[in-house]
Amino acid sequence: MEALARGLREGAGWMVFCTALMLLALAMPQSVFDPESRDFLLLLGAVGIWRYSMGAIHYLRGLLFLYLVFPWYRRQARKLGEAADPSHVFLLVTSFRIDALTTAEVYRSVIEEAIACGYPATVVCSLVEMSDELLVKSLWRKLDPPAHVSLDFVRIAGTGKRDGLAYGFRAISRHLPDDDAVVAVVDGDTVLTPGVIRRTVPYFRLLPKVGGLTTNEFCEVRGGYVMSEWHKLRFAQRHINMCSMALSHRVLTLTGRMSVFRAQVVTNPGFIADVESDHLDHWRLGRFQFLTGDDKSSWYSLMRLGYDTFYVPDAAINTVEHPPEKSFLKASRKLMFRWYGNNLRQNSRALSLGPRRLGWFTCLVLADQRVAMWTSLLGPAVAIIASLKYGIQFLLIYLLWIGMTRLALTLLLVASGHPVGPAYPLILYYNQVLGAMVKVYVFFRLDRQSWTRQNTRLERGLATFQSWFNAWSSRAMTFSAVSVFLAVLVSVV
């Protein structure tokens, strides 16, 4: 009954969206549909050619990897048989301020997977609170693992996830793992699906240059309908982009939700230092530590150390998402601020590695991240300016274009294998506009960071003048950049 009700709701949603799109089309002047008219040229959105071209390239590369290249890799991995088995599997789980129900669900799945994979395994728990340790011990006694599965605790002071990971990596180093051992890094809100370890570990033997790989994500959102659809859309897009970058063995992030590394990587002192105390030397803001973005730090460290990265689309995990605010607008803005800040902080120094290390396509993608914040705002800004100068019909034309293209993009996501809902076209546009605005804002404030769950912020202890200079120079540069952007558009349109 629940599935039927959900299907009826989604069917009604699609009908409402398509009806609104048709009514908008009927309100258009006839010249819109005349190929020789200037309105039609505007409808084509010539200013968006670059953005749509990059999206099309990612999409085609993603499908190529998902349906042709990866199945070949999977067949080759299966042919290896027991030769691809690791000598030992470490499952490092970091937990802090996660509700007991989610914690129990996560650790149950981790312990069960350590047992079921059949390899010698050690579950390493990086914990802050004694209550979590007692909970894990209770689950351990109840599940009664065999002798080849062991348990190790690492107690930390609650100073952040980076410290939790670093202490966990050092604990694994004390076990003296050999070159054939692997380490799965699991976040405290990630539930493993059965068989995820066996689906991931063979690729380390098949692809000797791969230092780390990441997995496909699905989610359960503890929030309202829009928030749930927003997260699901994000994971569907993530899946296609990950597949696209995996074609070049250059997956751009090793998500902390569930990634697997060679043990020789996570025991490398340089890698541990990169994750624990990563920082950026900025020409205006000075040196500051990275509070969030450990997944980007681990990726950059692997690139710097000469490893490749990979994606296993048929190895899935389920994450439990806890929105930081009840309001969708506030929660999405907070999460975007954290995610996009992590991307931009890594962007410039990653580009400095150059195409010889990263490859030309990866460098192109990284460069596009820097201009996408402006190209994404170009369309709505031009539509508003044109409607004010020449008439409201230009805004209506733009809205029809957005409705049609976002509907097409949503339907294309069906190929990802992730669920697709009727709210996706509107959420896609919401992400484009608000996401671009957040990127512009955070680009000039890279030192401002905070965790959404822990509600902690980076405190730099700056002198009064330096703090004042950073704040006001960020405002001045934001105002100048936006002013130049709008002035150019007003003069051109």
Side-chain angles (χ1 to χ4, degrees):
M1 288 298 293
E2 183 179 348
L4 177 61
R6 183 171 61 253
L8 290 174
R9 286 196 301 269
E10 291 190 355
W14 284 114
M15 289 182 63
V16 169
F17 180 82
C18 292
T19 300
L21 204 57
M22 288 187 288
L23 291 174
L24 187 59
L26 291 173
M28 295 294 104
Q30 289 298 315
S31 62
V32 172
F33 303 101
D34 179 4
E36 296 181 359
S37 71
R38 287 177 298 176
D39 292 351
F40 184 80
L41 294 176
L42 177 63
L43 180 61
L44 289 177
V47 294
I49 288 176
W50 169 259
R51 192 169 69 250
Y52 288 113
S53 298
M54 286 299 297
I57 292 171
H58 268 307
Y59 185 78
L60 294 175
R61 283 171 54 95
L63 294 190
L64 176 63
F65 177 82
L66 183 60
Y67 292 106
L68 292 177
V69 176
F70 177 74
W72 181 84
Y73 278 131
R74 182 168 52 202
R75 289 192 296 270
Q76 299 304 308
R78 287 173 178 170
K79 289 179 182 178
L80 293 176
E82 294 184 358
D85 290 352
S87 59
H88 201 98
V89 175
F90 295 89
L91 295 101
L92 171 62
V93 189
T94 56
S95 297
F96 182 44
R97 290 185 180 173
I98 298 175
D99 66 272
L101 183 63
T102 301
T103 299
E105 191 176 1
V106 168
Y107 277 100
R108 177 182 292 276
S109 73
V110 170
I111 297 171
E112 288 177 344
E113 184 61 18
I115 297 170
C117 72
Y119 307 129
T122 301
V123 178
V124 181
C125 309
S126 184
L127 303 172
V128 176
E129 295 152 334
M130 177 59 72
S131 59
D132 287 342
E133 182 173 338
L134 295 175
L135 177 59
V136 173
K137 287 180 177 178
S138 175
L139 286 169
W140 189 264
R141 289 192 298 268
K142 185 176 181 180
L143 295 172
D144 191 23
H148 68 271
V149 180
S150 58
L151 181 65
D152 192 4
F153 286 103
V154 179
R155 295 296 298 275
I156 59 175
T159 49
K161 184 181 176 183
R162 288 180 177 272
D163 286 343
L165 289 171
Y167 278 85
F169 293 156
R170 293 189 182 100
I172 293 170
S173 300
R174 291 191 288 270
H175 287 269
L176 301 178
D178 60 28
D179 291 344
D180 293 328
V182 298
V183 179
V185 179
V186 184
D187 210 352
D189 56 5
T190 300
V191 180
L192 304 187
T193 59
V196 67
I197 295 297
R198 281 195 166 273
R199 287 191 181 97
T200 53
V201 295
Y203 298 99
F204 289 105
R205 183 60 59 89
L206 180 67
L207 304 170
K209 292 187 66 178
V210 168
L213 55 84
T214 193
T215 50
N216 195 1
E217 291 187 32
F218 295 86
C219 63
E220 174 190 343
V221 182
R222 305 288 170 82
Y225 171 77
V226 178
M227 178 59 70
S228 178
E229 294 297 285
W230 185 69
H231 276 284
K232 291 174 182 177
L233 169 62
R234 173 175 169 260
F235 286 134
Q237 292 178 303
R238 170 191 181 274
H239 185 54
I240 294 295
N241 288 334
M242 287 285 192
C243 287
S244 171
M245 299 310 301
L247 196 62
S248 307
H249 294 186
R250 288 294 183 273
V251 174
L252 292 180
T253 180
L254 293 168
T255 175
R257 298 300 181 87
M258 165 58 171
S259 292
V260 188
F261 300 85
R262 295 183 186 274
Q264 66 191 50
V265 170
V266 303
T267 57
N268 184 316
F271 179 83
I272 297 175
D274 284 342
V275 174
E276 183 178 28
S277 55
D278 203 359
H279 63 273
L280 182 67
D281 290 307
H282 193 272
W283 67 274
R284 177 173 56 86
L285 302 172
R287 171 174 290 196
F288 55 88
Q289 298 290 119
F290 288 175
L291 180 64
T292 62
D294 54 276
D295 51 349
K296 306 299 187 299
S297 296
S298 58
W299 172 81
Y300 176 77
S301 187
L302 284 178
M303 291 296 101
R304 188 176 57 80
L305 293 171
Y307 289 99
D308 292 345
T309 53
F310 196 61
Y311 180 63
V312 185
D314 68 347
I317 59 172
N318 293 305
T319 62
V320 183
E321 303 289 342
H322 298 84
E325 300 282 350
K326 291 183 179 180
S327 166
F328 168 71
L329 294 177
K330 291 181 179 180
S332 58
R333 180 175 53 80
K334 277 190 174 183
L335 291 170
M336 285 181 182
F337 184 86
R338 177 162 63 88
W339 296 335
Y340 297 150
N342 294 338
N343 281 333
L344 292 171
R345 276 185 285 274
Q346 294 290 353
N347 185 281
S348 58
R349 68 176 187 175
L351 274 171
S352 67
L353 294 175
R356 179 173 295 182
R357 176 69 195 101
L358 298 179
W360 284 105
F361 182 73
T362 304
C363 288
L364 178 65
V365 172
L366 291 171
D368 180 63
Q369 289 179 355
R370 300 179 73 87
V371 300
M373 67 185 83
W374 299 107
T375 57
S376 296
L377 291 174
L378 200 62
V382 168
I384 293 172
I385 294 171
S387 66
L388 292 174
K389 293 179 69 173
Y390 306 115
I392 193 64
Q393 67 270 21
F394 285 91
L395 182 59
L396 296 177
I397 292 169
Y398 176 72
L399 292 177
L400 180 61
W401 168 252
I402 290 298
M404 294 170 58
T405 54
R406 272 40 183 192
L407 177 61
L409 292 174
T410 297
L411 296 178
L412 288 175
L413 286 175
V414 172
S416 70
H418 282 245
V420 173
Y424 281 21
L426 296 177
I427 298 175
L428 277 168
Y429 188 64
Y430 171 83
N431 283 347
Q432 174 190 326
V433 176
L434 183 67
M437 294 171 67
V438 171
K439 286 178 184 177
V440 170
Y441 181 84
V442 75
F443 180 76
F444 298 105
R445 297 163 178 81
L446 294 178
D447 58 331
R448 289 184 56 180
Q449 308 163 62
S450 66
W451 277 108
T452 49
R453 181 185 298 124
Q454 288 88 345
N455 197 28
T456 55
R457 295 180 179 273
L458 177 66
E459 298 294 341
R460 301 177 61 189
L462 297 176
T464 303
F465 174 77
Q466 185 65 50
S467 179
W468 175 88
F469 174 79
N470 286 359
W472 280 98
S473 62
S474 294
R475 293 169 187 166
M477 295 194 71
T478 306
F479 178 79
S480 300
V482 173
S483 298
V484 170
F485 176 73
L486 293 176
V488 170
L489 294 185
V490 169
S491 64
V492 171
V493 175

